[in-house]
């Protein structure tokens, strides 16, 4: 027999679930710079799809590619999240470093010699420190991904020494450190959004650019007069899969775990895609071969040739290490030395 007491108890037990469901929005906006098929954007789309599917549609995540929620200006994504315009984001550490100085550790030139070094940073104390900093900026960081080592291409000549950069107009995405890097080698750096890059290359307003190989291929930069590519691995752009802290706090513990698990899975897939075809251990060199098939001259620098660039840029490294945080940079250097 149903009693008033049993009805009240059942109602009390159901209330938290009903309340939680009522607080969930019809849509959560996820921002990312590019679009499919590049691995950077693929990570964002996979994260959204996994969350939507595994929550049974209770958490409906929609991706807004091309940084369209901030008018294409990828450097404004962090501010937009803090203002409530963006709920989730796959951030480039390059784009947030002007506001989060610690994220600039990934932009120190020639700090990371290879992917093992990159992994040591994102999976170690450096990565944990950066996630703590993000938490202080009202962002819950759930996983690190990878855009890839950034290589340099141009329309004029092969780049094998620092002197080869003299006089070249090189586009960079964001961050004063890149201005210092290219100025330090005698180039003429120009900051512009990715949306403006392609017409600038096509018109000759800039001679070259720096981006991962996968992005170069996806956007067919070989058709934009980019005939020379140097594989120099000067920086690797870490990605952060992040959620607005206010949005995160609106989810119950079970759904927070779901978001985190999905972010980690999508980030792992993103890293695998970012490294495909580059000839590193565990992959073939299909991407490099595709560059050559498109008549792009590919110059792969030796360890000694990279060292010449690192030495030329040592003043930039030292100046920026103090701005990023000497302690954090020392942790990064120690983690990389431990791999030897």
């Amino acid at each position: 027999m149903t009693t008033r007491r049993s009805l009240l108890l059942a109602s009390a037990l159901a209330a938290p679930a009903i309340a939680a469901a009522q607080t969930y929005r019809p849509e959560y906006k996820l921002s990312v710079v590019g679009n499919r098929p590049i691995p950077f954007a693929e990570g964002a789309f996979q994260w959204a799809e996994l969350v939507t599917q595994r929550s049974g549609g209770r958490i409906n995540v929609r991706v807004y590619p091309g940084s369209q929620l901030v008018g294409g200006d990828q450097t404004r994504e962090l501010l937009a999240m803090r203002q409530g315009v963006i709920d989730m984001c796959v951030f480039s550490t390059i784009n947030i470093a002007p506001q989060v100085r610690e994220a600039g550790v990934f932009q120190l030139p020639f700090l990371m010699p290879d992917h093992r070094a990159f992994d040591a940073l994102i999976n170690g104390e450096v990565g944990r420190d950066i996630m703590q900093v993000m938490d202080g900026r009202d962002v819950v960081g759930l996983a690190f991904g990878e855009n890839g080592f950034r290589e340099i291409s141009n329309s004029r000549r092969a780049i094998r020494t620092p002197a080869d950069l003299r006089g070249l107009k090189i586009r960079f995405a964001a961050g004063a450190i890149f201005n210092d890097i290219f100025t330090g080698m005698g180039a003429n750096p120009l900051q512009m959004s990715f949306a403006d890059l392609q017409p600038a290359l096509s018109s000759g307003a800039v001679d070259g650019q720096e981006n991962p190989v996968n992005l170069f291929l996806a956007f067919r930069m070989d058709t934009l007069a980019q005939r020379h590519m140097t594989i120099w691995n000067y920086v690797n752009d870490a990605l952060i899969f992040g959620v607005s802290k206010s949005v995160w706090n609106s989810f119950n513990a079970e759904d927070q775990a779901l978001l985190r698990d999905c972010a980690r899975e999508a980030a792992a897939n993103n890293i695998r895609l970012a490294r495909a075809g580059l000839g590193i251990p565990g992959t073939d060199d299909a991407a490099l071969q595709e560059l050559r098939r498109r008549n792009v001259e590919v110059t792969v620098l030796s360890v000694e040739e990279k060292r010449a660039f690192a030495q030329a840029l040592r003043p930039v490294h030292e100046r920026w290490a103090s701005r990023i945080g000497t302690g954090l940079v020392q942790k990064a250097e120690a983690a990389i030395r431990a791999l030897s």
Side-chain angles (χ1 to χ4, degrees), residues 228-338:
H228 308 278
M229 167 75 79
T230 293
I231 307 299
W232 63 343
N233 291 7
Y234 85 121
V235 299
N236 194 333
D237 184 11
L239 308 177
I240 295 176
F241 288 61
V243 182
S244 160
K245 187 180 288 187
S246 62
V247 171
W248 177 258
N249 290 337
S250 74
F251 295 128
N252 60 40
E254 181 180 356
D255 286 335
Q256 287 177 347
L258 184 149
L259 252 70
R260 188 183 300 277
D261 290 344
C262 291
R264 288 176 175 174
E265 183 175 335
N269 287 335
N270 151 252
I271 290 174
R272 176 180 56 80
L273 290 171
R275 298 180 183 183
L278 297 178
I280 62 176
T283 76
D284 56 34
D285 65 347
L288 301 184
Q289 291 302 327
E290 177 63 15
L291 286 171
R292 296 185 176 102
R293 190 188 70 78
R294 297 185 189 182
N295 296 317
V296 176
E297 179 186 12
V298 179
T299 302
V300 180
L301 297 190
S302 66
V303 172
E304 292 75 19
E305 287 171 325
K306 290 179 186 176
R307 188 174 296 121
F309 282 92
Q311 290 173 347
L313 293 171
R314 191 64 195 175
V316 175
H317 177 103
E318 292 176 352
R319 181 163 62 252
W320 279 90
S322 63
R323 298 181 187 181
I324 292 164
T326 302
L328 183 66
V329 173
Q330 288 175 343
K331 287 180 182 179
E333 292 171 336
I336 294 169
R337 283 196 303 271

Side-chain angles (χ1 to χ4, degrees), residues 122-138:
I122 65 171
N123 295 323
E125 192 173 359
V126 169
R128 291 191 293 273
D129 285 355
I130 290 173
M131 289 303 198
Q132 287 180 354
V133 172
M134 294 299 291
D135 187 75
R137 304 298 176 87
D138 301 321

Side-chain angles (χ1 to χ4, degrees), residues 134-197:
M134 294 299 291
D135 187 75
R137 304 298 176 87
D138 301 321
V139 176
V140 179
L142 303 181
F144 278 108
E146 178 182 350
N147 193 18
F149 274 106
R150 301 179 74 89
E151 318 301 0
I152 188 166
S153 71
N154 78 98
S155 60
R156 293 174 59 184
R157 55 179 174 265
I159 296 172
R160 192 174 286 277
T161 71
D164 293 328
L165 274 157
R166 288 177 187 160
L168 294 183
K169 293 174 289 186
I170 303 294
R171 174 266 183 182
F172 67 98
I177 188 171
F178 291 99
N179 186 76
D180 287 358
I181 287 171
F182 289 105
T183 299
M185 292 182 289
N188 298 318
L190 297 164
Q191 181 178 352
M192 64 180 65
S193 71
F194 186 76
D196 293 331
L197 171 59

